[in-house]
Structures are given as structure tokens and as C-alpha cells.
Amino acid sequence: MKLKQRIVLLAILLVIFIFTKVFLIDNLDTSAANREDQRAFHRMMAGLRVELVPKLDHTLQSPWEIAAQWVVPREVYPEETPELGAIMHAMATKKIIKADVGYKGTQLKALLILEGGQKVVFKPKRYNRDYVVEGEPYAGYDRHNAEVAAFHLDRILGFRRAPLVVGRFVNLRTEIKPVATEQLLSTFLTVGNNTCFYGKCYYCRETEPACADGDTMEGSVTLWLPDVWPLQKHRHPWGRTYREGKLARWEYDESYCDAVKKTSPYDSGPRLLDIIDTAVFDYLIGNADRHHYESFQDDEGASMLILLDNAKSFGNPSLDERSILAPLYQCCIIRVSTWNRLNYLKNGVLKSALKSAMAHDPISPVLSDPHLGAMDQRLLSILATVKQCTDQFGMDTVLVEDRMPLSHL
């Protein structure tokens, strides 16, 4: 064989070797990542049921100190949380030492300080479980039980970006009024035999108070994030205008995602993929009201998108608001880990997992069966949307690897 032919043959063999090696490494990496996703799913399922227990036997720290130490830029709580039951028990039972009107916002809430100095946000019950909120997908009052369900869905999806939430019953006469500020106390009234309050907020009205059953009010309490992690508010790029006849750009421009990708913080880092994860999360719970979102301050786009204020969810189980998925079907990208987790939750697993996760909550049953069933159906719609993307652009383009090492040191 001539020298030239030998060189050509060696070059061809070298190219084949390089491509084979790269292909094998890529497949090994992908396979290893998928196996880790599967192991993470099984760990989540094994620790899904959280029993509210009163003691932390293995530590002298308070539940509030433990929860504060959990928070890092990309997680509100870690994957393994043996202390979660004790923290949620404290949230549901610790003595209320101060009660005030809620922080600024559009919906009724109260800011409570529990024994030990921990702040929590209390959202009162407004609807029975089987009540269906008609009208726009963002219509109606906040749903306290939606906050509880959304927190547990966050656990199930493996996002770990929602503050801790638990249901709680409070006696307005004996637990709230004696420690209430004058500003909150001035909004109390009696309707029939029921104690009520209407608080201070944009839509709060004396004619629309939240009322207890006698003196006992059902609600949810959300753990306040530590003050050492100040929040920064951002306008959601896929937010609605909330004005009849006026569309946001994303509602008529199918290439809108291309424009978003050119603006900070969506042009680099994890934020755009967080937006996609949040669209999946919001579609499952029926939340069409995420017009803004929060991250940690001075994060340069590296902080997670924190899943705060999920109470405009679970309003109508028959309404699947597809526009919530606009970030997904316009950008056609999704994390591999999210895609894997969604597939593990098919065939009724999601409904069963969420029901199990919420079984020990003080206000259980948290959701009606129609809402649980609706989530399983919406999951199928999400998977079908991703498949449309992969059919059009290919798996390698749509499924994005984004695994960031996390530290709780």
C-alpha cells in the first residue's frame, strides 16, 4: 500500500475512533445522569410522607435555625430533610406571640411571629375544597390549601424552590386578637356567630372579610425566608397584561423566546431553565398569575427562581390554561432532570404521590379528587408538548443538561 493511501486510511480510522469515543462517553454520561435521576426519584418517594413530630432528638438547634441553614442560592431545603416533620409541627403548633397585617400585596394575609421569633405568613381559608372558581384562570381569592399542595408538589418534582408550608387552625379570639397590632385588630368584625377579619391589602374590603367557623379559622402558614437572604423582585417575561383587549407580546409573537434569550438574566446561567420549570409547575397547579417572581438579591442570575405565592392555584380542575406553558412551547427547551422526573410521575404516580405527601397535614384532605385527577391529565399535556418540540428540533436541542453542584455547608 502506498504511503499516501496509508495516511488516508489512518486518518479515517482516527476520525472513526474519535467519534466512537465521544459517542460512548456521551452515552455513558447520559446513562449515568439518568440513573442518578432515577435514584433521586426513589429517594424522594421513600421520604414522601412527612409526619408532624414535636421533637428534634439529635440536635440542640431550634427548628427555625435548621430551616434557616437549609437555604442556599439554588435550594430552599435540601434533598434529605429528616427534620422536616419537626419544623412543620412547630409551624402548625408554636404559640403566636404577635400578629400583624400582611406585607404589601393584593390578597388578604396576616404576618405572624411564632415563639422563638420566627415569622410566618398566614393565609385564611376562603373556599370549601369542592368550590370551583369560575372565570379567568387568575380569578378569585387566594386559596390557602393551594399553598400547601404547591409546596409538596415542589418536593415531588425535585425543585426544592418553594418555602415550607403547612396547614394550621388558629383561634382568632384567643390566639390572634390578644397579640394583634392595632392595625390588624381594627379590621376584625363579627358576622353572625363567626369572628372575621379583612386585613390590609390592595383588594381587601370590609365587605369581603375572611370568616372563621365560630372563632376557629383554617389557613396555611408559610415559613418566612431568612433575612440574610433578601429578595429581589423581577417582572416575569411571560406575564399577562390583565387588561381586556391588550395582549402581551408573547401572546402574539411566536418568536418571543428568541428576544428573551438576548436579555439578561436569560442570556446565560440557569434563569431561563428555571422559567421553564416554573411553567411546568404552574401548569400542573393551574396558576396563571405569576406576573412577577423573586430571586435572591445580587445574584447575577445564578439564584433560583423562588416559587413564592402559589395561592392562585387549584381554582378550576376542568380548566387547563395552556398559555401557562408558553415558555416551554415557545423556547422548546427543558432540563433533562425535569423531563426524567415528569416521566417517572406518569400513569397516576403524580396523583398518588401528592395525596400521600399531604396525608399528615393538619388540614388534610388538602385537595379534592377532581384537582388531583386534573394534575395527572395536565402532566400528559406537558409530555406531549415536549414531544412536539423534540419531533421538530431533536432531543439533543430540546433536552438541556443543567446539573449544578449544591452545598449546604
Side-chain angles (χ1 to χ4, degrees):
M1 186 181 291
K2 294 180 180 179
L3 180 60
K4 186 176 181 180
Q5 290 174 317
R6 289 178 180 177
I7 293 172
V8 171
L9 181 60
L10 285 171
I12 293 171
L13 289 173
L14 182 62
V15 169
I16 292 172
F17 173 75
I18 291 171
F19 272 98
T20 301
K21 187 175 181 182
V22 169
F23 178 77
L24 286 173
I25 289 173
D26 282 350
N27 276 315
L28 285 172
D29 286 347
T30 301
S31 179
N34 288 342
R35 285 197 298 272
E36 175 51 35
D37 285 343
Q38 196 164 37
R39 285 193 291 267
F41 175 72
H42 289 309
R43 288 194 298 268
M44 179 278 296
M45 292 293 284
L48 195 57
R49 292 174 71 92
V50 180
E51 293 191 40
L52 275 62
V53 292
K55 290 186 178 180
L56 287 165
D57 294 326
H58 64 290
T59 177
L60 295 177
Q61 289 182 300
S62 75
W64 315 137
E65 290 171 325
I66 293 173
Q69 290 172 1
W70 280 349
V71 182
V72 294
R74 295 292 306 167
E75 289 184 335
V76 174
Y77 53 94
E79 181 182 19
E80 296 185 13
T81 53
E83 306 91 350
L84 182 59
I87 295 169
M88 295 178 76
H89 181 272
M91 293 168 62
T93 61
K94 283 285 187 184
K95 183 179 179 180
I96 300 165
I97 61 175
K98 185 178 179 181
D100 200 356
V101 294
Y103 58 95
K104 62 183 179 180
T106 62
Q107 299 288 316
L108 173 60
K109 60 185 77 70
L111 180 62
L112 309 181
I113 298 180
L114 304 182
E115 188 177 15
Q118 178 62 52
K119 288 188 282 189
V120 296
V121 175
F122 178 80
K123 294 191 176 181
K125 176 183 176 181
R126 300 287 244 170
Y127 303 112
N128 292 324
R129 297 292 190 272
D130 56 356
Y131 185 87
V132 175
V133 180
E134 302 286 357
E136 298 291 344
Y138 44 82
Y141 301 118
D142 275 359
R143 277 76 79 178
H144 71 296
N145 57 319
E147 292 282 13
V148 176
F151 164 65
H152 289 288
L153 177 64
D154 177 66
R155 294 175 59 220
I156 291 167
L157 292 175
F159 292 162
R160 299 189 289 278
R161 300 173 206 153
L164 277 57
V165 184
V166 69
R168 177 165 180 161
F169 290 94
V170 297
N171 187 301
L172 295 182
R173 181 176 57 84
T174 62
E175 293 185 89
I176 300 294
K177 293 182 77 173
V179 296
T181 63
E182 184 57 39
Q183 194 175 23
L184 177 61
L185 203 56
S186 66
T187 73
F188 273 77
L189 65 155
T190 301
V191 178
N193 295 320
N194 302 319
T195 303
C196 310
F197 76 102
Y198 57 91
K200 299 281 187 182
C201 70
Y202 186 81
Y203 289 124
C204 289
R205 304 283 187 273
E206 185 175 354
T207 54
E208 300 179 30
C211 291
D213 182 5
D215 292 323
T216 303
M217 175 172 277
E218 177 183 321
S220 66
V221 287
T222 301
L223 197 69
W224 195 272
L225 289 169
D227 291 336
V228 295
W229 294 97
L231 301 182
Q232 181 175 351
K233 195 170 188 176
H234 309 264
R235 182 175 294 278
H236 196 299
W238 276 269
R240 302 172 189 277
T241 65
Y242 297 92
R243 283 152 56 179
E244 189 175 350
K246 183 172 177 57
L247 297 177
R249 179 178 167 183
W250 62 267
E251 293 180 279
Y252 61 82
D253 182 358
E254 286 300 317
S255 64
Y256 176 70
C257 184
D258 293 333
V260 172
K261 289 177 180 177
K262 295 174 184 176
T263 61
S264 178
Y266 312 107
D267 54 349
S268 63
R271 188 63 57 80
L272 182 58
L273 288 167
D274 283 0
I275 290 281
I276 307 296
D277 282 348
T278 304
V280 167
F281 178 81
D282 282 341
Y283 182 70
L284 287 171
I285 64 179
N287 179 18
D289 195 44
R290 202 174 295 280
H291 42 82
H292 290 79
Y293 68 85
E294 283 82 14
S295 69
F296 293 130
Q297 277 184 9
D298 302 323
D299 64 334
E300 297 181 353
S303 160
M304 64 184 152
L305 188 164
I306 304 166
L307 296 172
L308 280 171
D309 292 335
N310 303 304
K312 280 295 183 75
S313 310
F314 300 106
N316 187 343
S318 301
L319 178 62
D320 298 336
E321 182 54 49
R322 181 168 167 76
S323 65
I324 300 172
L325 284 179
L328 174 60
Y329 60 70
Q330 290 183 354
C331 296
C332 266
I333 55 172
I334 190 170
R335 285 187 170 101
V336 174
S337 56
T338 302
W339 170 247
N340 286 338
R341 182 59 60 97
L342 292 172
N343 276 282
Y344 299 147
L345 292 168
K346 289 187 300 188
N347 302 318
V349 176
L350 175 58
K351 174 181 176 178
S352 175
L354 188 57
K355 199 169 185 177
S356 178
M358 301 185 299
H360 292 289
D361 193 273
I363 65 168
S364 179
V366 177
L367 292 177
S368 65
D369 281 338
H371 282 298
L372 289 165
M375 295 182 70
D376 275 343
Q377 293 302 311
R378 290 167 188 162
L379 173 59
L380 296 179
S381 296
I382 294 167
L383 297 176
T385 299
V386 176
K387 187 176 186 305
Q388 290 173 354
C389 289
T390 57
D391 288 346
Q392 184 175 357
F393 300 107
M395 299 277 283
D396 291 342
T397 299
V398 176
L399 302 184
V400 179
E401 192 64 59
D402 179 46
R403 295 168 195 277
M404 188 175 294
L406 302 170
S407 172
H408 286 276
L409 298 179

